Amino acid sequence: MTIRHYSFAGGEQGLWRVVAQKAVAGEPLPSVARLDVSHAGTPTAKYSWILKGIISNERYVEHNERALLVAKQEGLDRPQATCAALLPIRKSGAWWMLTQDERRAVFETRSRHIQIGLSYLPAIARRLYHCRDLSEHEPFDFLTWFEFAPTDEAAFDRLLTELRASEEWKYVERESEFRLIRDAA
Amino acid sequence: MTIRHYSFAGGEQGLWRVVAQKAVAGEPLPSVARLDVSHAGTPTAKYSWILKGIISNERYVEHNERALLVAKQEGLDRPQATCAALLPIRKSGAWWMLTQDERRAVFETRSRHIQIGLSYLPAIARRLYHCRDLSEHEPFDFLTWFEFAPTDEAAFDRLLTELRASEEWKYVERESEFRLIRDAA
């Protein structure tokens, strides 16, 4: 079976070293030195906090967009992609009250979320984990994960700036940002 | 806070008496006498099996459709609606691999799922609980719940027949059906 359910444990251990951490919107998470990404339920070392997310079906991507994404994207775990970023995000109640066509209009027609991501492929690989429906009161709705080579860090900065300037981001009420480097503990 | 996360425990207790139970597709659930619907996490009596589901945002309904639904629908727990049905449903991997526009096309353009439901309002009240993203290996993707008066049972039978004849139902790989009556234990 494919693993769908992951945990992101912030603490003193894990493959990823935290080189920068900030709260972009809303309540911050306690500062940590390292991040341990594992299959949820796998015993992990002591941690300060843990965020869980599950890989789910696509909610907005349409047929032609997927074809473009699949043609251009590369997977996670590329040897040269030693930089990563974790962005836990919670959207407002107003977002979740929108109907599907209204959310799609904000997400892509007006914010160009898919097109922006596409324009940074294959350099910036991305994976989305869903949290909102794991339980009743999750701290975040999504955990967004990015991987890229050190030489593509400036491109990743531009990607973030573009997304955060979009109409979609008006619905983001809590967001943290972790910049990570993969190295031995 | 609104309760979103519910459990449906099959056993010897609960408000709802099981008057009929069958497996429509795939593996059956063990037979039970009563169904206890409660807030997930609430201590419940001994049960034979438990299904959990969470109320989530709408995945297919569009702006104009919601307006029609809201204008016509009534809530759960109407005094005269002493009959209920629980339909736990799992869809195939092929369904979950479709993109959003492909799923919408099957769901509404070709199967008229929303329009069929609308045509039985307000008699047949309905609520959808999501399971698929609660954890990695849930037995069902959805728990669909219906409530109606005894005089509307034949209408509910027609609703089920219409839905099961649709293209969408070709993607249903597991389905159980419980017919329930609300009475004192």
Side-chain angles (χ1 to χ4, degrees):
Chain A
M1 279 284 196
T2 310
I3 293 175
R4 295 175 58 215
H5 196 184
Y6 285 81
S7 50
F8 298 77
E12 300 296 319
Q13 295 186 47
L15 183 65
W16 296 94
R17 178 161 52 87
V18 178
V19 290
Q21 168 177 354
K22 66 176 175 181
V24 180
E27 197 188 345
L29 286 164
S31 292
V32 291
R34 302 191 76 89
L35 188 75
D36 185 25
V37 184
S38 64
H39 182 202
T42 305
T44 52
K46 265 176 55 181
Y47 50 81
S48 161
W49 44 257
I50 191 162
L51 301 175
K52 294 184 179 180
I54 192 162
I55 298 171
S56 185
N57 59 297
E58 288 164 335
R59 306 292 165 85
Y60 302 106
V61 169
E62 299 188 348
H63 181 83
N64 295 337
E65 292 161 347
R66 181 193 277 171
L68 294 171
L69 291 165
V70 167
K72 220 178 154 192
Q73 73 194 1
E74 295 177 358
L76 300 184
D77 297 319
R78 293 169 296 177
Q80 76 277 21
T82 56
C83 295
L86 173 68
L87 278 83
I89 285 172
R90 188 175 67 215
K91 285 182 172 170
S92 65
W95 172 262
W96 295 111
M97 279 301 296
L98 296 176
T99 53
Q100 179 67 31
D101 55 328
E102 291 168 331
R103 278 182 278 107
R104 163 79 194 184
V106 175
F107 184 89
E108 189 57 21
T109 313
R110 301 208 291 274
S111 299
R112 302 182 62 256
H113 191 130
I114 296 163
Q115 289 302 318
I116 290 171
L118 194 55
S119 71
Y120 289 95
L121 292 180
I124 316 290
R126 175 184 169 280
R127 181 183 276 172
L128 182 65
Y129 302 85
H130 293 256
C131 325
R132 177 174 157 80
D133 290 339
L134 281 177
S135 73
E136 192 144 283
H137 301 300
E138 291 293 317
F140 295 97
D141 293 332
F142 310 101
L143 309 176
T144 312
W145 179 263
F146 301 90
E147 288 182 7
F148 46 92
T151 48
D152 290 315
E153 187 164 13
F156 178 69
D157 292 341
R158 291 195 300 275
L159 164 63
L160 275 190
T161 301
E162 285 193 64
L163 286 174
R164 286 178 180 153
S166 70
E167 180 181 338
E168 184 193 351
W169 245 252
K170 294 181 182 160
Y171 293 93
V172 172
E173 63 175 25
R174 188 178 182 191
E175 178 179 5
S176 276
E177 178 185 326
F178 295 82
R179 298 295 186 105
L180 307 151
I181 290 182
R182 183 175 64 198
D183 61 15
Chain B
M1 281 281 195
T2 310
I3 293 174
R4 294 176 58 216
H5 196 185
Y6 285 81
S7 50
F8 297 77
E12 300 295 319
Q13 295 186 47
L15 184 65
W16 296 96
R17 178 161 52 88
V18 178
V19 291
Q21 168 178 354
K22 67 175 174 182
V24 180
E27 195 188 345
L29 285 165
S31 292
V32 291
R34 303 191 77 88
L35 188 74
D36 185 24
V37 184
S38 63
H39 182 203
T42 305
T44 51
K46 264 176 54 181
Y47 49 81
S48 161
W49 44 257
I50 191 162
L51 302 174
K52 293 183 179 180
I54 193 162
I55 298 171
S56 185
N57 60 296
E58 288 164 337
R59 306 291 164 87
Y60 301 106
V61 169
E62 298 188 349
H63 181 83
N64 294 339
E65 292 161 347
R66 182 193 276 172
L68 293 171
L69 290 166
V70 167
K72 221 178 153 193
Q73 74 194 0
E74 294 177 359
L76 300 183
D77 297 318
R78 293 169 296 179
Q80 77 277 21
T82 56
C83 294
L86 172 68
L87 278 82
I89 285 171
R90 188 174 68 215
K91 286 181 172 171
S92 66
W95 172 262
W96 295 111
M97 280 301 296
L98 296 176
T99 53
Q100 179 67 30
D101 55 328
E102 291 168 332
R103 278 181 278 106
R104 164 78 193 185
V106 175
F107 184 89
E108 189 58 22
T109 313
R110 302 208 291 274
S111 299
R112 302 182 64 254
H113 191 131
I114 296 164
Q115 289 303 317
I116 291 171
L118 194 55
S119 71
Y120 289 95
L121 291 180
I124 315 290
R126 174 184 170 280
R127 180 183 278 173
L128 182 65
Y129 301 85
H130 292 256
C131 325
R132 176 173 159 80
D133 290 339
L134 281 178
S135 74
E136 193 143 284
H137 302 299
E138 291 291 318
F140 295 97
D141 294 332
F142 310 100
L143 309 176
T144 311
W145 179 263
F146 301 90
E147 288 183 7
F148 46 92
T151 48
D152 289 315
E153 187 164 13
F156 178 68
D157 291 341
R158 289 195 300 274
L159 164 63
L160 274 191
T161 301
E162 285 193 65
L163 286 174
R164 287 179 179 152
S166 71
E167 179 181 339
E168 185 193 350
W169 244 252
K170 294 180 183 161
Y171 294 92
V172 172
E173 63 177 26
R174 187 177 182 192
E175 178 180 5
S176 276
E177 178 184 326
F178 295 83
R179 299 295 187 105
L180 307 151
I181 289 182
R182 184 175 65 199
D183 60 16

